[in-house]
């Protein structure tokens, strides 16, 4: 079992303080947060119904008008998880929070326009609170990109659970000809729980033979056969944080084309990892790995972006792809996952989770990337 992370927990007040700086830059007096992942990031609350109002200014009595709302099911939970904030208990949590903002004459209230539905926005407007509603997207996600020490520790633990689980099923002989993709996937998921995962990060991908050429193939009753590539993409959740790793195996002696394509993807993945550094443009990182595959004449067979951010969600900002925007910062956790897929024949993807650091990225997924032959 993976050891629990020991040490100081998140500084939620500091996170809210950092958000206030962004609110001032965006000229709003408060932000209504309704995305549950963002609420967890800012407060630690993990219930399924919540809204949060964060004021843009620091009150003399710290955060006296920053308030979290939830319903009666979570009365005790919110008191335990968020003891430092006022809690409002109401079934229509966002509506109650907006009522308070109106009573306090907050003025300009930002809302998460990428989260709030048209109907929800109409409901806020119909409340007649006198507030000016301002659409703002991605402010909390901007903060979430850079991980603090606590978050990196959780990511390390999640990645360690994945590493250990994969090693376990290999040791048990779970990956072998005659078994089905679904059997292998279920064994791997159970092993992640045995190694300390609280949840599975996403639907596990086990793709054998021709199915390995499908980037996001879902496991079926397809039977693993000698000579198959078997691509396994999976992750564990620890402390709310997700790991993400892909390894591709070959059952029995690999053919020449399998060795060649594996070596090509391995070289591309190495180039992508090397390009990870603070200040690097995400488009340039993608290009560094993609150039290796294009030079081999297989550019069209690398059909997806190079990677993505990872944290409280399996897919977070930034996106490392041709159409990505922005530059990397130190402390950003990302994946690097190039792949080459020959339709009807088979494919290879190699993926790691890493943290961008000065002097080179920190590798969190430590399973060997050498071509592994399973006899």
């Amino acid at each position: 079992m993976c050891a629990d992370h020991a040490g100081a927990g998140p500084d939620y007040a500091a996170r809210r303080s950092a958000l206030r700086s962004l609110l001032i830059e965006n000229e709003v007096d408060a932000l209504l947060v309704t995305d549950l992942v963002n609420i967890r990031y800012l407060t630690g609350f993990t219930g399924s119904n919540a809204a949060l109002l964060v004021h843009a200014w620091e009150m003399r009595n710290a955060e006296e008008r920053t308030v979290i709302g939830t319903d009666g099911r979570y009365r005790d939970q919110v008191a335990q998880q968020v003891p430092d904030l006022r809690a409002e208990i109401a079934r229509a949590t966002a509506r109650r929070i907006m009522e308070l903002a109106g009573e306090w004459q907050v003025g300009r209230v930002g809302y998460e326009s990428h989260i709030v539905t048209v109907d929800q926005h109409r409901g806020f407007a119909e409340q007649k609170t006198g507030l000016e509603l301002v659409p703002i997207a991605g402010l909390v996600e901007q903060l979430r990109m850079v991980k603090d020490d606590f978050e990196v520790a959780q990511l390390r633990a999640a990645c360690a659970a994945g590493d250990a689980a994969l090693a376990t099923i290999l040791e048990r002989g779970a990956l072998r000809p005659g078994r089905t993709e679904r059997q292998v996937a279920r064994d791997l998921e159970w092993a992640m729980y045995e190694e300390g995962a609280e949840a599975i990060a996403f639907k596990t991908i086990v793709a054998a033979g021709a199915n390995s050429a499908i980037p996001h193939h879902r496991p079926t009753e397809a039977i693993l056969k000698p000579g198959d590539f078997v691509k396994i993409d999976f992750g564990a959740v620890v402390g709310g944080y997700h790991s993400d790793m892909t390894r591709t195996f070959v059952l029995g002696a690999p053919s020449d084309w399998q060795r060649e394509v594996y070596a090509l993807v391995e070289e591309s993945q190495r180039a992508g990892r090397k390009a990870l550094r603070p200040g690097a443009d995400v488009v340039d990182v993608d290009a560094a790995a993609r150039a290796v595959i294009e030079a081999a004449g297989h550019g069209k067979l690398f059909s997806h972006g190079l990677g993505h951010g990872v944290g409280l969600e399996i897919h977070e900002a930034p996106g490392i792809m041709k159409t990505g925007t922005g530059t990397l910062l130190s402390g950003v956790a990302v994946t690097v996952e190039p792949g080459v897929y020959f339709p009807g024949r088979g494919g290879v993807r190699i993926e790691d989770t890493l943290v961008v650091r000065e002097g080179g990225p920190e590798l969190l997924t430590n399973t060997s990337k050498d071509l592994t032959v399973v006899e």
Side-chain angles (χ1 to χ4, degrees):
M1 293 281 264
C2 297
D4 291 336
H5 168 64
D11 187 341
Y12 296 115
R15 292 177 180 178
R16 295 191 293 269
S17 180
L19 177 60
R20 290 189 178 95
S21 297
L22 296 179
L23 299 183
I24 292 169
E25 290 177 16
N26 283 270
E27 299 181 338
V28 294
D29 299 307
L31 178 67
L32 175 68
V33 184
T34 51
D35 180 88
L36 290 173
V37 177
N38 288 341
I39 291 170
R40 177 173 184 166
Y41 177 79
L42 293 169
T43 69
F45 182 67
T46 59
S48 65
N49 181 27
L52 175 71
L53 186 74
V54 179
H55 274 252
W57 59 84
E58 298 281 359
M59 307 297 289
R60 188 172 358 180
N61 182 12
E63 299 189 298
E64 65 184 33
R65 285 190 177 177
T66 290
V67 57
I68 187 170
T70 187
D71 63 65
R73 296 172 298 167
Y74 299 111
R75 186 185 302 272
D76 293 340
Q77 182 176 331
V78 74
Q80 180 182 21
Q81 292 183 328
V82 197
D84 55 335
L85 293 182
R86 170 176 172 174
E88 287 288 317
I89 307 299
R91 184 66 187 175
T93 54
R95 185 178 183 86
R96 175 56 186 148
I97 295 298
M98 292 298 280
E99 286 177 357
L100 277 178
E103 292 171 12
W104 292 336
Q105 299 181 332
V106 172
R108 289 168 55 84
V109 176
Y111 65 92
E112 295 180 303
S113 55
H114 57 306
I115 302 297
V116 171
T117 67
V118 172
D119 284 348
Q120 287 172 330
H121 182 270
R122 184 184 297 117
F124 295 152
E126 290 173 351
Q127 284 186 257
K128 307 296 185 183
T129 57
L131 302 169
E132 181 182 353
L133 301 177
V134 181
I136 296 179
L139 286 192
V140 183
E141 289 85 348
Q142 182 178 333
L143 294 176
R144 282 170 47 196
M145 278 198 294
V146 177
K147 272 54 180 182
D148 58 30
D149 290 345
F150 175 85
E151 292 179 288
V152 173
Q154 302 308 299
L155 287 167
R156 284 195 197 101
C159 290
D163 282 325
L166 184 58
T168 293
I169 69 164
L170 291 173
E171 291 167 2
R172 292 173 178 173
L175 182 63
R176 66 178 186 273
R179 306 201 76 219
T180 69
E181 293 172 336
R182 284 195 180 124
Q183 287 174 325
V184 176
R186 298 297 85 79
D187 286 347
L188 179 55
E189 289 175 350
W190 181 247
M192 282 190 275
Y193 285 115
E194 289 181 321
E195 295 298 338
E198 66 195 40
I200 303 305
F202 52 91
K203 292 182 179 179
T204 298
I205 295 172
V206 176
N211 290 338
S212 64
I214 303 171
H216 279 187
H217 172 75
R218 295 304 183 197
T220 68
E221 292 302 313
I223 296 174
L224 279 61
K225 300 184 298 296
D228 279 353
F229 267 141
V230 182
K231 181 184 67 197
I232 303 180
D233 186 347
F234 66 104
V237 180
V238 173
Y241 286 81
H242 298 65
S243 69
D244 198 355
M245 180 170 72
T246 306
R247 293 294 185 265
T248 304
F249 303 90
V250 63
L251 302 182
S255 62
D256 290 343
W257 81 269
Q258 288 176 319
R259 290 187 182 278
E260 289 170 6
V261 69
Y262 193 95
L264 176 64
V265 175
E266 190 175 24
E267 182 184 354
S268 171
Q269 211 256 358
R270 189 181 305 113
R273 298 198 319 268
K274 185 177 180 181
L276 291 177
R277 63 182 182 281
D281 193 301
V282 294
V283 172
D284 293 337
V285 177
D286 178 274
R290 197 171 299 277
V292 174
I293 294 172
E294 290 175 341
H298 296 314
K300 292 182 179 180
L301 301 180
F302 180 11
S303 55
H304 52 76
L306 180 64
H308 55 84
V310 63
L312 284 170
E313 294 180 287
I314 190 60
H315 290 103
E316 298 187 349
I320 304 177
M321 60 187 76
K322 288 181 178 180
T323 57
T325 59
T327 57
L328 297 175
L329 299 172
S330 181
V332 171
V334 297
T335 66
V336 174
E337 49 182 300
V340 173
Y341 312 96
F342 292 91
R345 194 177 187 188
V348 173
R349 181 163 67 248
I350 302 172
E351 175 187 20
D352 284 312
T353 298
L354 311 99
V355 180
V356 178
R357 304 287 195 196
E358 295 286 352
E362 177 185 354
L363 180 65
L364 302 186
T365 42
N366 292 305
T367 298
S368 172
K369 287 179 283 290
D370 294 339
L371 177 57
T372 299
V373 177
V374 180
E375 299 293 350

